[in-house]
Amino acid sequence: MVFGAANTVFVLVGERQVLFSERRQEVYELNDAAAYIWCRLQDGATPDAAAEGLVGLGFSQDAAGCHVRNMLDEWRRLGLFDRMDTDGAWPGADDDRIQNLRIAGLNICLRYGRSSLRRLVAPTFAHLEAVAAGPADVSLALEVDGDRIRLVGVEGDTASWDTVCTADEIVPAVKALLTAELLARGRHPLAIHAAALARDGRMLLLCGTPGVGKTTLAMALVQAGFGYGGDDIALLTEDGEVAGVPFAAAIKSGAWAMVSRCRPDLMGLPAFRRPDGQDVRYLPPDHLPVSTALPIGWVVVLRRGRSAFPVLTPLDRVAAIRLILAEASAPQGRLSTAAFRLLARSLGNAECHALDFSDLDGAVQTLLRTCR
């Protein structure tokens, strides 16, 4: 193994053990265990060997592995070493505790401090797993901190997030952090608040205010044959097409009974509490999500209707643009003229409608007839 310290030196100051980072111009004092780990790694030992050494000093196997892993995570976060090439796994953090995701062109690494955390969180993101291709754009460490869970996000050498939540808040917290990171990077001209569903090489965007039923209708349309691109965000690309962000669909408690009609497995999934107080279950797609960008074929703005029958009415494209921009997100919070032109061009051949509905099955049949 090669452990590469990034212009960081270990020295003794009297009987005190410290690291000095030339790059950060900081001094860090180490306790005996941390100093032992650093020196063993500098001498060429693997993390497993360092953990075994701690066991020889009186630590339990679990405590030793956890301590080595935590110190490596902390030193990586601080940028105190720049590489660690080894054929072995990090102690107590084998491949089963690392989940690599690919989301909208970003490489994401989720590192679970305990197997119990992976069992709780990983299934929600399993359909987004990918073989790691190069370094992670975003790394997120999940660690138990007393009766709470700490989320530490690392980008390069710096911590970009450090927050805590409870176990029943963990999945919403992870999704929110990853979504914020995705939107902050500005790799797309515009992020549209809409469910994205594919049909015959084109994308249907379901828009509407929160609570209007986008996710529930999207799940019903997927079961009717549409491809799943995501229930919340669609990204406008530089080519004027849209790509969904296929996180697992967030099904609110009020829709559990309805969605479970087409996805009975929903009720077996754990429930989580969102910051807005909503209880949700996260339903991954039962087929591979649509990963490619597609032209916009249809924009449908959903409205809650009072009639038993769905009412589909044409929507002016300028009105559709205004509705889309009302809840869209642009890089740096400002829509550029170039992005506006791109959006207008992308809607040039799209059919735009407003759909007033109260009956889910009727809405599905209406859109099956429309989107062809």
Side-chain angles (χ1 to χ4, degrees):
M1 185 197 80
V2 178
F3 176 82
N7 297 316
T8 304
V9 62
F10 173 83
V11 298
L12 291 173
V13 181
E15 296 183 353
R16 301 171 74 173
Q17 304 159 117
V18 301
L19 296 176
F20 171 69
S21 169
E22 180 179 338
R23 184 179 65 80
R24 297 179 66 95
Q25 294 292 291
E26 294 282 352
V27 175
Y28 304 93
E29 186 168 2
L30 305 181
N31 61 26
D32 289 343
Y36 175 85
I37 294 166
W38 180 274
C39 292
R40 286 297 308 274
L41 296 176
Q42 280 277 271
D43 290 342
T46 67
D48 286 331
E52 287 301 319
L54 288 178
V55 172
L57 295 175
F59 287 78
S60 70
Q61 190 76 46
D62 287 344
C66 183
H67 198 58
V68 173
R69 183 177 67 255
N70 288 343
M71 293 313 304
L72 286 172
D73 282 342
E74 178 68 6
W75 291 335
R76 184 187 295 276
R77 182 181 71 82
L78 294 170
L80 300 185
F81 67 88
D82 53 14
R83 69 186 187 279
M84 185 176 68
D85 305 320
T86 175
D87 293 331
W90 287 28
D94 55 21
D95 288 345
D96 190 48
R97 295 199 191 175
I98 297 174
Q99 188 178 30
N100 293 305
L101 312 176
R102 181 77 173 172
I103 306 173
L106 295 182
N107 292 324
I108 309 291
C109 179
L110 301 183
R111 186 180 299 279
Y112 300 98
R114 293 186 182 177
S115 296
S116 58
L117 284 177
R118 180 182 174 93
R119 288 193 297 271
L120 181 63
V121 177
T124 301
F125 302 98
H127 65 288
L128 298 169
E129 289 179 359
V131 176
D137 297 296
V138 180
S139 295
L140 176 60
L142 295 81
E143 297 286 348
V144 174
D145 186 4
D147 61 350
R148 300 176 74 82
I149 300 170
R150 181 172 296 277
L151 307 177
V152 179
V154 181
E155 179 182 350
D157 295 332
T158 61
S160 51
W161 323 305
D162 191 346
T163 188
V164 294
C165 62
T166 60
D168 66 350
E169 298 167 336
I170 181 63
V171 170
V174 172
K175 181 184 175 183
L177 290 171
L178 295 183
T179 299
E181 194 70 22
L182 172 66
L183 297 180
R185 289 174 177 270
R187 292 189 177 183
H188 298 83
L190 190 68
I192 301 169
H193 182 54
L197 304 167
R199 187 168 176 84
D200 296 331
R202 292 184 290 171
M203 200 74 84
L204 162 65
L205 298 182
L206 294 180
C207 307
T209 57
V212 76
K214 290 190 300 292
T215 297
T216 304
L217 180 54
M219 294 298 95
L221 288 170
V222 167
Q223 294 306 305
F226 283 74
Y228 180 73
D231 76 319
D232 191 43
I233 301 174
L235 301 173
L236 183 66
T237 71
E238 296 285 357
D239 295 327
E241 298 182 332
V242 289
V245 180
F247 285 117
I251 313 299
K252 299 174 186 175
S253 57
W256 289 348
M258 189 174 297
V259 175
S260 65
R261 287 163 39 195
C262 58
R263 286 290 302 272
D265 55 325
L266 173 68
M267 300 311 291
L269 299 175
F272 297 94
R273 176 65 56 89
R274 294 197 317 195
D276 61 4
Q278 292 273 2
D279 290 328
V280 297
R281 286 186 163 104
Y282 290 92
L283 183 63
D286 54 1
H287 295 86
L288 287 177
V290 177
S291 59
T292 57
L294 296 172
I296 300 176
W298 309 269
V299 175
V300 176
V301 178
L302 303 180
R303 300 169 180 163
R304 281 295 185 186
R306 296 181 179 179
S307 170
F309 302 99
V311 178
L312 188 72
T313 56
L315 184 66
D316 178 81
R317 287 195 181 94
V318 175
I321 288 175
R322 287 197 175 105
L323 289 167
I324 286 172
L325 292 180
E327 296 195 41
S329 173
Q332 288 79 52
R334 294 181 60 84
L335 181 69
S336 68
T337 55
F340 180 82
R341 289 193 185 98
L342 189 63
L343 175 62
R345 178 165 60 84
S346 71
L347 292 177
N349 295 318
E351 299 177 27
C352 301
H353 303 276
L355 177 62
D356 294 85
F357 76 104
S358 58
D359 175 64
L360 181 63
D361 293 335
V364 170
Q365 292 305 314
T366 297
L367 292 179
L368 283 172
R369 291 192 299 268
T370 301
C371 301
R372 58 184 181 184

